[in-house]
Amino acid sequence: MTENKFYVVILLFLIALSGCTTKDRSTQTASEAQEIIFETDIGNDVDDALALDMLYKYMDAGDINLLGIMINKEGIYPPEYTDIMNTWYGYPEIPVGIIHNGADCENDAANYAKCVSLMNKENGEPIFHRSLKDYSTLPEAHILYRELLAKQPDNSVTIISVGFSTNLARLLDTPGDDFSSLTGKELVAKKVKLLCTMAGCFNNPDLYEYNIVKDIPAAKKVFAEWPTRVVTSPFEVGIAINYPGASIENDFGWAPVHPMVEAYKCYLEMPYDRPTWDLTSVLYSVVRSLLFQYFSCR
């Protein structure tokens, strides 16, 4: 069995297990839904957009509550594209945190966030609706983290980080404030049960993985000082599993225009298969929780 097929089999096995349960999913209550915060460099690689699509669908199924979306790259288009996605999928109330003086990589790759944000109809009106007015006034992510975490039950939140570590490092350094008297590290230790990252490469010492190298000091701090369990889905896992471009073209064809599909079209010439770097972190985080719920493994 090739390495690629091995990873596909493992993923399919996990997905199958999540549906084989002694508990009827229709009886699942809101309190059993997993609390998720998504940390993303959306607008770089298009897998962030598909990972976000996964999270909305887990929301639809009642498996998770998406408490917030934190953006860890500079630029005006990442929050705008996130607002477009939140609005289009029917979750305009999900709060969005932004970053100031963070990694600036708007020109590092095909910027699908900008491309989709600038799409207009023939009459000049935007193709996609927005819910927010002024993206520059959004809260900084490390402060929004404090607000959201302070409201959650202890040991209840999973953070899925598929971008740079800047926001997480800044969160650890925050002092007590009106949201909580605890420091950032104390607040994380009390409220977060898992940090799942897409970061690093462990089987090739000559490959410097993008999410790490864009802010090496922050990554060092997070991996050295984060006070709860950390799981990493590294580069070599996501690159072994390609999401088929044919699915993007066919399985989402029910919508005449779709902000995630348009992101794919902006990123590269269609059709193309794309590694599932960020998707594996989402899948691990959510399926792991579902298995614990269904089989009482906690």
Side-chain angles (χ1 to χ4, degrees), residues 267-288:
Y267 188 68
L268 292 173
E269 183 177 352
M270 292 288 287
Y272 59 92
D273 298 346
R274 195 66 189 160
T276 56
W277 289 300
D278 297 347
L279 283 69
T280 57
S281 292
V282 171
L283 184 65
Y284 174 86
S285 299
V286 178
V287 171
R288 173 182 178 274

Side-chain angles (χ1 to χ4, degrees), residues 143-144 146-148 150-151 176-182 187:
I143 303 301
L144 182 57
R146 293 190 59 85
E147 179 180 0
L148 296 177
K151 297 176 182 178
D177 56 15
D178 291 341
F179 300 122
S180 172
S181 61
L182 301 176
L187 187 61

Side-chain angles (χ1 to χ4, degrees), residues 132-162:
L132 303 175
K133 300 297 184 183
D134 185 354
Y135 302 107
S136 66
T137 63
L138 290 172
E140 288 192 79
H142 62 286
I143 303 301
L144 182 57
Y145 265 118
R146 293 190 59 85
E147 179 180 0
L148 296 177
L149 290 177
K151 297 176 182 178
Q152 304 311 310
D154 293 352
N155 192 40
S156 66
V157 178
T158 295
I159 298 175
I160 303 174
S161 177
V162 296

Side-chain angles (χ1 to χ4, degrees), residues 17-293:
L17 279 180
S18 70
C20 299
T21 173
T22 57
K23 176 189 276 189
D24 185 345
R25 288 185 66 170
S26 65
T27 66
Q28 184 169 318
T29 65
S31 63
E32 293 175 304
Q34 185 177 186
E35 309 295 342
I36 298 283
I37 297 177
F38 187 54
E39 175 83 31
T40 174
D41 61 334
I42 201 156
N44 289 339
D45 199 299
V46 76
D47 58 334
D48 292 74
L50 190 53
L52 194 50
D53 171 87
M54 289 177 66
L55 290 169
Y56 293 129
K57 288 172 179 174
Y58 283 128
M59 286 267 285
D60 292 342
D63 293 324
I64 72 167
N65 293 319
L66 188 54
L67 300 175
I69 300 172
M70 308 300 188
I71 297 169
N72 49 53
K73 59 173 285 188
E74 289 277 4
I76 61 173
Y77 296 109
E80 184 170 358
Y81 178 73
T82 301
D83 182 28
I84 288 171
M85 292 281 280
N86 280 350
T87 304
W88 196 89
Y89 281 86
Y91 296 103
E93 74 284 355
I94 296 175
V96 178
I98 60 174
I99 192 169
H100 297 307
N101 301 314
D104 185 354
C105 46
E106 285 290 79
N107 299 313
D108 284 9
N111 190 334
Y112 62 85
K114 178 180 180 179
C115 177
V116 175
S117 296
L118 295 178
M119 291 178 63
N120 293 324
K121 302 175 184 178
E122 290 185 0
N123 63 4
E125 294 182 359
I127 289 180
F128 297 108
H129 295 294
R130 282 81 160 158
S131 298
L132 303 175
K133 300 297 184 183
D134 185 354
Y135 302 107
S136 66
T137 63
L138 290 172
E140 288 192 79
H142 62 286
I143 303 301
L144 182 57
Y145 265 118
R146 293 190 59 85
E147 179 180 0
L148 296 177
L149 290 177
K151 297 176 182 178
Q152 304 311 310
D154 293 352
N155 192 40
S156 66
V157 178
T158 295
I159 298 175
I160 303 174
S161 177
V162 296
F164 320 136
S165 301
T166 317
N167 288 331
L168 300 177
R170 291 180 182 180
L171 169 61
L172 292 179
D173 283 340
T174 54
D177 56 15
D178 291 341
F179 300 122
S180 172
S181 61
L182 301 176
T183 67
K185 191 176 293 186
E186 292 168 340
L187 187 61
V188 167
K190 186 174 184 180
K191 301 296 184 177
V192 176
K193 65 178 179 180
L194 174 68
L195 169 62
C196 187
T197 73
M198 189 280 118
C201 180
F202 301 102
N203 69 357
N204 182 358
D206 296 323
L207 193 153
Y208 303 103
E209 195 273 316
Y210 187 76
N211 287 347
I212 297 293
V213 300
K214 291 301 291 187
D215 192 343
I216 292 175
K220 286 182 175 180
K221 181 178 184 65
V222 169
F223 281 98
E225 300 181 21
W226 193 262
T228 73
R229 187 165 183 255
V230 178
V231 172
T232 293
S233 179
F235 177 89
E236 56 266 34
V237 172
I239 201 170
I241 313 165
N242 287 326
Y243 192 86
S247 173
I248 300 297
E249 289 189 314
N250 300 323
D251 296 337
F252 297 85
W254 55 270
V257 61
H258 191 304
M260 192 273 292
V261 175
E262 295 305 319
Y264 258 78
K265 292 178 181 178
C266 290
Y267 188 68
L268 292 173
E269 183 177 352
M270 292 288 287
Y272 59 92
D273 298 346
R274 195 66 189 160
T276 56
W277 289 300
D278 297 347
L279 283 69
T280 57
S281 292
V282 171
L283 184 65
Y284 174 86
S285 299
V286 178
V287 171
R288 173 182 178 274
S289 178
L290 292 176
L291 291 175
F292 283 173
Q293 289 179 16

